[in-house]
Amino acid sequence: WKVDLRKQNIMWCSFLQGVPEAVSSFLVNVMRHFKNDLKKAFKLIDGPDGNGKLSLMEFKTAVANLGWTEFQDPEKAVQIFRYLDPDGGGSISYEEWQVMSGLLKELQLTILELLQHVDYTFGGIEVAHALLDRDSNQAVDFHEWRKAIVSMGYYGPSEVIYRYLCLDKTDHLTAQCWEEVVEMWKNREAVLKKIRDEG
């Protein structure tokens, strides 16, 4: 087999299914709240007089101030902090924070992979929402989502994707949420290019 292994054609990514649920939820919130700008998120947590490292106290305070209800339990913030501080040094450097970048790329690639599967299965992304919405109430709940995803033969991390697609709107995947999905699919080449360029 001949394979083009030039750097620009290779994408390295992290593995989402081995990531603790609190970390994947945090990633989804960061993506939504900061529009995928991880540097902006790091700077906000570090504060205006930041030293380029996140302490546990800074991290817990920032997460609480962002008002993300699923992180009201301080233990979840500690779990995320420990994941992002793998050497146990007591702070998260910007270099350690970059693991979020790998997870972000993996989530974006995973979403595109699922959308490709949906597009193929339903004959188009645009019509898929109506077909996923089995009870025709204009919203796809997680039970409908999971059942449809499994019946399509997709076994990736669909729960993380579902949370990302629904976040900040409702607990259901509405037709309005699906419009964002359609736009992402239409712009998939630009998303892939950005992932490649950020290498």
Side-chain angles (χ1 to χ4, degrees), residues 67-109:
W68 297 337
T69 54
E70 61 198 285
F71 302 110
Q72 295 302 317
D73 176 2
E75 271 309 303
K76 282 197 175 181
V78 171
Q79 184 182 7
I80 298 161
F81 186 88
R82 288 188 179 138
Y83 183 85
L84 296 172
D85 178 29
D87 66 0
S91 64
I92 302 169
S93 67
Y94 188 68
E95 289 72 31
E96 289 173 321
W97 181 257
Q98 290 305 300
V99 75
M100 292 286 286
S101 179
L103 294 173
L104 169 61
K105 290 174 190 174
E106 176 63 13
L107 182 53
Q108 290 171 323
L109 289 170

Side-chain angles (χ1 to χ4, degrees), residues 11-62:
M11 285 188 279
W12 299 100
C13 23
S14 303
F15 189 57
L16 274 179
Q17 289 183 308
V19 174
E21 184 182 336
V23 176
S24 62
S25 293
F26 180 71
L27 174 66
V28 166
N29 279 277
V30 168
M31 285 177 71
R32 279 290 191 176
H33 188 88
F34 293 99
K35 310 277 191 250
N36 300 338
D37 189 340
L38 294 170
K39 190 172 191 176
K40 184 177 178 183
F42 184 87
K43 286 184 174 183
L44 180 124
I45 296 169
D46 198 20
D49 300 322
N51 63 354
K53 292 186 175 191
L54 308 178
S55 69
L56 178 58
M57 185 56 69
E58 282 176 323
F59 189 78
K60 286 168 76 174
T61 301

Side-chain angles (χ1 to χ4, degrees), residues 16-17 106-107 109-118 121 145-159 161:
L16 274 179
Q17 289 183 308
E106 176 63 13
L107 182 53
L109 289 170
T110 302
I111 290 170
L112 290 177
E113 176 187 54
L114 173 62
L115 294 182
Q116 182 177 23
H117 209 79
V118 168
T121 302
W145 170 264
R146 185 74 187 128
K147 190 171 183 179
I149 296 303
V150 169
S151 70
M152 287 183 340
Y154 180 83
Y155 296 97
S158 61
E159 185 175 350
I161 295 171

Side-chain angles (χ1 to χ4, degrees), residues 4-14 102 105-106 108-109 112 188-189 191-199:
D4 185 358
L5 294 178
R6 287 178 291 182
K7 183 180 176 186
Q8 67 268 23
N9 294 325
I10 297 173
M11 285 188 279
W12 299 100
C13 23
S14 303
K105 290 174 190 174
E106 176 63 13
Q108 290 171 323
L109 289 170
L112 290 177
R188 62 190 177 274
E189 290 303 322
V191 173
L192 286 169
K193 183 180 184 321
K194 185 175 181 195
I195 292 170
R196 282 190 202 105
D197 291 348
E198 290 175 355

